[in-house]
Amino acid sequence: MNFKMIGYLTAKIMLIGAAMLVPPLIVSFIYHDGCHIPFLITIAVFLLLSIPGFIKPKKTHMFAKDGLMIVVLAWIVFSAVGALPFYLSREIPSYIDCLFETVSGFTTTGSSILTEVEHISKSLLFWRSFTHWIGGMGVLVFAMAIFSGKDAKTTHIMRAEMPGPTLGKLASKWQFSVRILYGMYAFLTFVEFIMLLFGGMNVFDSLVHSFGTAGTGGFSVKNISIGYYKSPYIQYTIAVFMMLFGINFNIYYLLLVKKFQKVKANSELKTYLTIIVVATVVIMLNIYKIYNGFEMALRQAFFQVASTVTTTGYATANFDLWPQLSRTIIFILMFVGGCAGSTGGGLKVLRVSVLVKSALSAVRKSVSPKRVLTIKNDGRTIDGNEVEGVVTYFVCYVVFMFASLIVLSLDSIDLETALTAVVTTINNIGPGLGKMIGPAGNFHDMSVLSKIVLSIDMLAGRLELYPVLMLFMPEIWKR
Amino acid sequence: MKIIIIGGGKVGRTLVRNLNDEGHDVVLIDIKSAVVDAVGDAYDVMCIEGSGTDITVLEEAGVRTADLIIAVTEKDEHNVLCGIMAKKMGAGRCVARVRNPEYYHQLQFMRDVLDINMIVNPEYLAANEISRILRFPAAMHIETFAKGRIELVEFKIDKDSPMADIPLFKLYSDHKVRILVCAVMRDNEVIIPKGDFILHAGDRIYVTSTHIDIAKFINKMHVDNQRVKSTLIIGGGRISFYLARMLGELGIKVKIIEQDMDKCNKLTDMLPKASIICADGTDRDVLIEEGIDSVDSFVSLTGIDEENIIVSMYAKQNGINKVITKINRLSFMDIVEGMGIDSLVTPKDITADVILGYVRAMDNISKIANNEIRTLYRIVGNNAEAIEFRVYENPDIVGIPLKDLRIKQNVIIAAVAKGNKIVIPSGNTVIDVGDHVIVVTTGHLKHLNEILL
């Protein structure tokens, strides 16, 4: 481990942190909500932390583990320091709560400990949602778009931060790829913002909800989330954009360069859309009786499905009160997540389809043991190592979930609440099931230990387990 | 420039590293996912898993907009096919590695007919490098033109050199050497010399000619006081074959020790001038028996690095001055260099260097953007340019003897390649369409026409 180099690069990234706090600071000045002092202090802390980034170490060699380390470290420091504005403004009294809220923001989870969102200052609400936007595409990815990638082996960092089992480079240099990605990301966010404005939402709300959708985060500025806005236009717009942000961004690039054949051939996209359609139809039929009218049922079903499968976590209805079948489908969707290379969390459609396919081929093999089978994706054979990688990931994921569940059980909450709390945080969704943490509830009443564990789960889920799991390996800390 | 490299072996990786460092847009195509992963991890380049002869893969790599394709996979035929396909799909230029000696005599044909801009042969290049070291250790710098057939060599004039203090035209006529001094560096000033120019000790001169004529010139001028007369080569592989042939042409006595009888028979057939010994070249007694103490140069070219090093050290111990060692793996080169071995040669490095040189020259040219210029080197510490022009229809130059052309003061026509024939220009030389003309100038030229006043 080249700790000096890790420190140097992590410190350099802290500059981004300082820059990130400028927009909320401006918001604070616009609304005169008195939160500018906490923001200024936080900026100062970030700048202080970035000082080692100006002294370049002699040995600049880096390997995969160093890259992973930088990612985890940057995310932890960002969350810890990013929580300061909430704490210093005394609007969230407990630091652990602030941390939980910030981690939830950066990891685009959207689980909140706030019981009364509407009482919080505008600039803090803006900051909360802005962390979604930054965290969605990645903090370090953002850093890379700005800094020159010459002094770092950037691939390791990209691999750790970009969601999904495979990594698609758009241009031959990371810096260009990342700029293209962020460009498309910003553009889509802007389009949503404009469309929400047209729907009659005010500027602040449109902006905040666009951030929440783009990062597939889910923080709202209303206690009952998007349910506050009764306009079907707004609900449909947000639902459609959630769905769009759950799609692999490479697809948009392919559309941009007019390679439509490749988009058509993308099997992950097809699976993703099929899952949404099927789940929506089944839930709609199931909840038809509760709502008056076909349109209402369709809208509620579609919104909740899109929100869950992309791991956003917005809600227009309290799906916790839906019939059991619908609840179960929502629960299952929590695991699926968005497409690889999107801002969504969860297992990712690609992994799920590889898992299902490899399970099927195992069954076929048990019938005729000598049969040779390959697993294909997009017409290309996925080699054994890759399949094994996905399976191992899944195993780690399940084990990690169970471990967290055990710790949460100390809290003497019911199994449904504990289980869905873990599932919703590790998959970066937001609300769980049950009275306490359902769409109408929040995580405020959990114990401190549970909040810490769930924060780790959120980070682990966002960074796709390995970087966080690595921290628990003793040998990584030995020189 | 946008460069696509096909094949991520050692040469491929060296190219990826260097070209990426130089700021080019690099895409690597390799059939092995392990290679793709490793290179993708180590360098900031685009890596694509697949075959370089697969249209969809080439398409994905962006072959249509690529300036250069470099095919360096294991198989010659595959490389050539990659090159042809890429060219047909719209790539700017292509370089292919072809190493089979069977193709050696038809490389020119393949270049012309298959439209491959450059064919590199690592073994041939390595042999060329070794022969250069043996031929003129005094040469400080060498560039090649007209696909390697013309060399531009830099020398320093010593105090007692026969070249000093006589006018150049006398030098040419007295010694009957077919060379041309095309640039002189004196007191940090670059001079393009005319026939009445007098060289002084301490000058650095740039000489153009074919490598055979340059070798003859060196021998006549005693530039190198340790002329190599005989050499002992251990190992009878491809490099040995090319090397022995090159040295044979220069009149150097060559002895090759090779263990494999079949190889020995083949070599004897192909190299009538060389003596081929069938024995274990790493055996001390064999070396003594074959006269290791009577040769003045020694080249170890077995397939095993360690044997090469040990044998070279033994040769050095026996008082041989010029010892050249071939090394395939690069990691420990610095250790070996500290062990008293004169010259290390790494075929893969040489290949990569040659391709890199080509890319750099191409890059220089692309900044000028013109199809007349084939090669461009900046020489004499970037103070002069040596440019290879291809001659197109040009009534101002074609068909007129050089003495009747009014050429600029700071320009010299250093050599003319007429197909396979290399002409060192005199006043009566006539330039024809299709010739390649090497011009050295202290100014900048974009078109051949600009050599005229």
Side-chain angles (χ1 to χ4, degrees):
Chain A
M1 277 272 190
N2 188 346
F3 285 108
K4 275 190 185 150
M5 190 66 187
I6 293 171
Y8 164 75
L9 283 174
T10 315
K12 227 174 161 181
I13 294 160
M14 291 305 137
L15 282 174
I16 301 282
M20 267 169 14
L21 281 152
V22 175
L25 183 68
I26 294 168
V27 172
S28 164
F29 281 127
I30 292 172
Y31 287 98
H32 298 290
D33 57 6
C35 286
H36 56 279
I37 301 289
F39 281 119
L40 285 171
I41 296 175
T42 317
I43 289 177
V45 172
F46 268 126
L47 289 178
L48 221 65
L49 287 171
S50 71
I51 289 171
F54 292 98
I55 313 153
K56 200 171 177 180
K58 279 185 205 110
K59 285 184 187 167
T60 56
H61 63 85
M62 268 179 68
F63 299 102
K65 56 184 176 180
D66 304 273
L68 291 181
M69 196 58 148
I70 288 172
V71 174
V72 190
L73 216 64
W75 277 77
I76 291 174
V77 179
F78 264 90
S79 306
V81 180
L84 287 177
F86 300 115
Y87 184 67
L88 295 173
S89 66
R90 308 198 176 280
E91 293 194 27
I92 306 177
S94 142
Y95 181 71
I96 290 297
D97 283 356
C98 299
L99 187 67
F100 184 92
E101 198 74 7
T102 318
V103 172
S104 171
F106 274 121
T107 58
T108 74
T109 307
S111 303
S112 180
I113 45 82
L114 291 172
T115 43
E116 272 301 327
V117 185
E118 283 151 59
H119 291 171
I120 301 286
S121 301
K122 291 256 179 177
S123 58
L124 290 177
L125 288 177
F126 180 87
W127 170 234
R128 210 167 70 115
S129 294
F130 194 56
T131 53
H132 274 337
W133 196 75
I134 293 289
M137 196 55 95
V139 180
L140 293 103
V141 174
F142 187 66
M144 218 170 291
I146 294 170
F147 294 138
S148 119
K150 270 212 162 168
D151 54 6
K153 287 196 173 164
T154 36
T155 311
H156 300 313
I157 297 174
M158 291 295 293
R159 186 152 290 168
E161 206 183 33
M162 292 284 278
T166 52
L167 208 53
K169 225 177 180 183
L170 304 178
S172 67
K173 297 235 185 297
W174 273 122
Q175 205 170 11
F176 296 131
S177 307
V178 163
R179 281 180 187 169
I180 295 169
L181 280 178
Y182 253 100
M184 294 188 298
Y185 186 50
F187 177 74
L188 278 175
T189 315
F190 182 71
V191 172
E192 187 190 353
F193 169 67
I194 297 292
M195 287 185 73
L196 287 180
L197 275 183
F198 271 121
M201 212 187 251
N202 67 40
V203 175
F204 182 81
D205 290 8
S206 317
L207 199 57
V208 165
H209 287 114
S210 301
F211 286 156
T213 319
T216 66
F219 277 148
S220 176
V221 290
K222 303 293 175 202
N223 283 333
I224 50 167
S225 192
I226 307 300
Y228 174 89
Y229 306 95
K230 296 287 175 249
S231 146
Y233 169 80
I234 288 180
Q235 296 191 356
Y236 277 120
T237 305
I238 292 185
V240 167
F241 271 95
M242 286 193 291
M243 194 175 83
L244 291 179
F245 281 108
I247 292 171
N248 190 337
F249 273 69
N250 291 7
I251 299 275
Y252 297 123
Y253 181 70
L254 291 175
L255 288 176
L256 206 66
V257 296
K258 300 199 176 80
K259 289 190 177 165
F260 302 116
Q261 282 304 319
K262 279 200 147 179
V263 176
K264 259 187 173 172
N266 190 295
S267 52
E268 190 188 18
L269 181 64
K270 278 184 224 156
T271 319
Y272 173 73
L273 295 176
T274 313
I275 290 172
I276 293 180
V277 171
V278 172
T280 304
V281 169
V282 173
I283 292 181
M284 190 188 80
L285 295 175
N286 191 236
I287 62 171
Y288 185 65
K289 277 178 206 139
I290 308 175
Y291 294 97
N292 30 357
F294 164 80
E295 189 274 337
M296 185 73 167
L298 173 73
R299 174 153 41 103
Q300 299 300 356
F302 176 50
F303 192 98
Q304 262 54 242
V305 166
S307 172
T308 311
V309 80
T310 61
T311 75
T312 308
Y314 279 140
T316 54
N318 189 350
F319 54 77
D320 194 40
L321 303 175
W322 284 358
Q324 192 54 43
L325 174 67
S326 299
R327 293 176 86 227
T328 309
I329 290 172
I330 294 276
F331 179 69
I332 292 167
L333 287 179
M334 284 184 176
F335 292 90
V336 177
C339 299
S342 71
T343 58
L347 269 175
K348 309 284 175 309
V349 176
L350 184 59
R351 284 210 188 89
V352 172
S353 67
V354 169
L355 284 173
V356 171
K357 281 175 193 166
S358 74
L360 282 178
S361 83
V363 173
R364 286 207 188 98
K365 266 206 160 151
S366 71
V367 178
S368 53
K370 292 206 179 64
R371 189 164 168 193
V372 178
L373 287 163
T374 54
I375 295 168
K376 285 194 170 175
N377 182 49
D378 292 350
R380 198 180 66 93
T381 304
I382 306 175
D383 76 9
N385 282 337
E386 254 172 273
V387 176
E388 201 180 309
V390 171
V391 174
T392 327
Y393 180 84
F394 183 67
V395 173
C396 289
Y397 173 85
V398 171
V399 169
F400 202 77
M401 245 171 3
F402 281 139
S404 312
L405 186 60
I406 291 168
V407 183
L408 238 68
S409 308
L410 294 171
D411 225 2
S412 67
I413 36 178
D414 63 290
L415 182 63
E416 186 185 59
T417 307
L419 179 65
T420 55
V422 171
V423 170
T424 201
T425 46
I426 205 169
N427 293 316
N428 303 135
I429 297 159
L433 292 172
K435 207 165 183 191
M436 183 174 166
I437 57 161
N442 58 65
F443 289 72
H444 185 265
D445 296 328
M446 292 253 171
S447 71
V448 169
L449 179 67
S450 298
K451 280 174 188 164
I452 292 173
V453 170
L454 291 176
S455 299
I456 294 173
D457 281 356
M458 290 191 268
L459 271 179
R462 173 61 182 82
L463 301 180
E464 309 233 295
L465 298 179
Y466 295 131
V468 174
L469 286 178
M470 182 187 77
L471 295 179
F472 297 106
M473 299 281 154
E475 60 261 39
I476 211 87
W477 299 106
K478 287 180 197 145
R479 277 196 187 235
Chain B
M1 282 200 300
K2 185 169 178 193
I3 300 167
I4 300 176
I5 298 169
I6 300 161
K10 278 189 188 126
V11 173
R13 272 187 223 196
T14 314
L15 289 172
V16 165
R17 188 181 65 232
N18 285 301
L19 294 175
N20 186 41
D21 280 353
E22 285 171 24
H24 297 289
D25 249 358
V26 181
V27 179
L28 177 86
I29 299 175
D30 197 287
I31 197 114
K32 293 193 203 89
S33 66
V35 172
V36 167
D37 288 347
V39 174
D41 267 356
Y43 309 108
D44 188 7
V45 297
M46 173 114 89
C47 295
I48 298 170
E49 186 184 333
S51 162
T53 49
D54 184 336
I55 290 182
T56 48
V57 172
L58 285 172
E59 195 79 54
E60 201 183 332
V63 74
R64 282 177 208 289
T65 55
D67 297 294
L68 178 66
I69 306 289
I70 303 172
V72 283
T73 67
E74 291 165 72
K75 291 198 194 85
D76 292 351
E77 293 76 8
H78 191 259
N79 291 340
V80 170
L81 188 56
C82 285
I84 296 172
M85 285 177 69
K87 259 309 214 0
K88 289 270 180 271
M89 288 171 78
R93 284 169 178 236
C94 72
V95 173
R97 174 165 70 181
V98 174
R99 62 204 319 182
N100 191 341
E102 284 167 25
Y103 296 134
Y104 173 66
H105 61 279
Q106 62 196 42
L107 288 187
Q108 177 74 34
F109 173 82
M110 285 163 76
R111 269 194 289 252
D112 294 346
V113 173
L114 303 178
D115 195 21
I116 290 170
N117 299 83
M118 184 194 200
I119 292 182
V120 287
N121 178 343
E123 282 77 23
Y124 179 78
L125 291 170
N128 208 21
E129 173 76 8
I130 295 169
S131 113
R132 186 188 72 76
I133 297 171
L134 291 177
R135 275 185 288 143
F136 23 73
M140 297 160 86
H141 210 83
I142 295 191
E143 308 283 12
T144 60
F145 295 93
K147 287 150 189 162
R149 282 170 285 147
I150 299 176
E151 287 182 349
L152 176 80
V153 187
E154 180 188 342
F155 295 109
K156 208 171 163 186
I157 310 266
D158 297 328
K159 253 189 275 164
D160 44 359
S161 165
M163 283 186 279
D165 304 322
I166 56 163
L168 286 179
F169 71 87
K170 250 188 111 176
L171 176 77
Y172 301 147
S173 57
D174 286 3
H175 295 279
K176 301 233 173 351
V177 284
R178 291 181 64 239
I179 58 123
L180 190 81
V181 178
C182 56
V184 179
M185 172 95 157
R186 178 182 291 170
D187 303 331
N188 285 324
E189 202 191 340
V190 184
I191 302 156
I192 303 290
K194 301 284 160 197
D196 52 357
F197 188 84
I198 297 169
L199 294 170
H200 294 315
D203 286 353
R204 270 162 61 200
I205 61 168
Y206 288 79
V207 174
T208 44
S209 192
T210 60
H211 74 92
I212 293 172
D213 284 315
I214 288 184
K216 282 183 192 157
F217 165 72
I218 285 165
N219 293 340
K220 280 208 170 117
M221 294 301 124
H222 309 294
V223 173
D224 181 21
N225 46 12
Q226 292 176 340
R227 200 200 116 125
V228 169
K229 293 193 189 77
S230 56
T231 190
L232 181 62
I233 301 173
I234 310 299
R238 289 173 194 167
I239 303 181
S240 308
F241 163 69
Y242 291 126
L243 179 63
R245 215 165 64 169
M246 286 173 197
L247 297 179
E249 279 174 23
L250 300 168
I252 296 171
K253 253 179 73 190
V254 177
K255 187 179 267 188
I256 299 177
I257 305 183
E258 164 61 43
Q259 239 177 329
D260 187 281
M261 194 61 212
D262 286 347
K263 271 191 188 173
C264 287
N265 284 331
K266 252 192 197 158
L267 284 173
T268 319
D269 275 352
M270 292 190 289
L271 301 165
K273 280 187 192 167
S275 47
I276 316 292
I277 312 296
C278 184
D280 181 1
T282 57
D283 186 333
R284 189 188 179 126
D285 295 335
V286 171
L287 288 175
I288 295 169
E289 192 185 339
E290 296 308 327
I292 192 165
D293 46 0
S294 62
V295 292
D296 54 11
S297 63
F298 184 90
V299 186
S300 54
L301 298 173
T302 73
I304 301 158
D305 289 352
E306 293 80 356
E307 283 191 355
N308 287 341
I309 294 167
I310 300 281
V311 170
S312 294
M313 285 164 72
Y314 178 67
K316 200 78 201 164
Q317 218 180 40
N318 271 272
I320 298 178
N321 259 326
K322 282 243 99 24
V323 176
I324 298 170
T325 314
K326 185 193 82 167
I327 302 252
N328 283 333
R329 280 176 302 161
L330 306 166
S331 312
F332 302 110
M333 205 115 134
D334 45 342
I335 300 175
V336 180
E337 267 167 353
M339 282 163 47
I341 293 172
D342 300 329
S343 308
L344 290 178
V345 168
T346 310
K348 277 159 186 156
D349 246 17
I350 294 168
T351 312
D353 271 355
V354 168
I355 297 176
L356 280 174
Y358 182 81
V359 175
R360 282 177 199 136
M362 211 183 127
D363 201 26
N364 284 338
I365 293 163
S366 76
K367 280 168 193 152
I368 313 166
N370 159 323
N371 64 356
E372 270 186 314
I373 296 181
R374 286 301 147 107
T375 326
L376 184 151
Y377 293 112
R378 294 186 200 286
I379 57 170
V380 209
N382 284 342
N383 291 314
E385 284 177 358
I387 310 158
E388 177 181 347
F389 288 101
R390 188 187 149 83
V391 181
Y392 291 94
E393 273 304 336
N394 192 337
D396 293 337
I397 290 170
V398 170
I400 305 168
L402 287 184
K403 62 175 184 241
D404 297 336
L405 288 173
R406 296 183 64 222
I407 294 174
K408 281 180 187 165
Q409 278 298 314
N410 65 349
V411 170
I412 191 166
I413 296 184
V416 180
K418 293 177 177 292
N420 271 324
K421 214 177 117 209
I422 308 298
V423 177
I424 297 303
S426 65
N428 296 323
T429 308
V430 173
I431 295 172
D432 294 314
V433 172
D435 288 357
H436 285 235
V437 176
I438 288 86
V439 175
V440 174
T441 173
T442 51
H444 297 286
L445 297 178
K446 287 188 180 161
H447 299 282
L448 188 55
N449 262 2
E450 292 172 19
I451 64 170
L452 299 176
L453 272 174

